[in-house]
Amino acid sequence: MDDPGHRKIHDSPIPLAGGFAVLTGILLPVLGGSSSVETGHHHLTSTGLIVHGVDRRALELVVLGMGAVVITVLGWLDDKHELRPLAKFLGQLLVALAVAAACKRITLFVHNEVFSYAVTVLWFVDGA
């Protein structure tokens, strides 16, 4: 249980490990879809479309998956040991930069690479 504290927004104890439940709910279907990847020709079936998508986005899926794992572990460590804010922020920033570098970035219809990196990193760190 996570007790209220000066850095917490809740007023009563809440169960920990919710991040692990969310992570499992996201990663299991992705891993299940990825396990259906087969060699050979892709057909216009549901499985063929999944295989095609996984083939095209494999790097992005790996980076997003690893980023989700790292963010979940950071949250768990913060719950357990109350990480220093700078340590937690630097971890989130590194994951956000990796995701922005390997994946699609938020543009908000402004096609400027520096802007898209900044918006993506700020969105990611703020949500983490």
Side-chain angles (χ1 to χ4, degrees):
M1 296 297 284
D2 188 27
D3 295 318
H6 68 283
R7 288 182 45 210
K8 311 292 172 89
I9 60 171
H10 52 85
D11 297 334
S12 59
I14 60 169
L16 294 175
F20 287 110
V22 171
L23 181 67
T24 302
I26 292 170
L27 289 185
L28 282 181
V30 171
L31 292 173
S34 298
S35 70
S36 69
V37 174
E38 57 197 45
T39 57
H41 301 292
H42 302 298
H43 304 289
L44 291 178
T45 63
S46 296
T47 301
L49 292 173
I50 291 171
V51 169
H52 178 71
V54 169
D55 284 348
R56 289 197 62 211
R57 303 288 185 212
L59 175 64
E60 293 174 14
L61 288 171
V62 169
V63 171
L64 285 170
M66 293 303 295
V69 168
V70 171
I71 291 296
T72 301
V73 169
L74 271 174
W76 174 73
L77 288 171
D78 187 43
D79 286 344
K80 189 169 174 85
H81 301 289
E82 282 203 31
L83 296 177
R84 291 183 178 178
L86 182 60
K88 186 175 178 185
F89 173 75
L90 289 176
Q92 292 171 343
L93 182 64
L94 289 174
V95 170
L97 289 169
V99 168
C103 301
K104 303 292 183 200
R105 289 175 293 282
I106 299 168
T107 63
L108 296 177
F109 306 106
V110 177
H111 299 288
N112 177 295
E113 192 168 349
V114 173
F115 178 80
S116 69
Y117 268 93
V119 169
T120 302
V121 168
L122 287 172
W123 170 80
F124 196 97
V125 171
D126 181 53

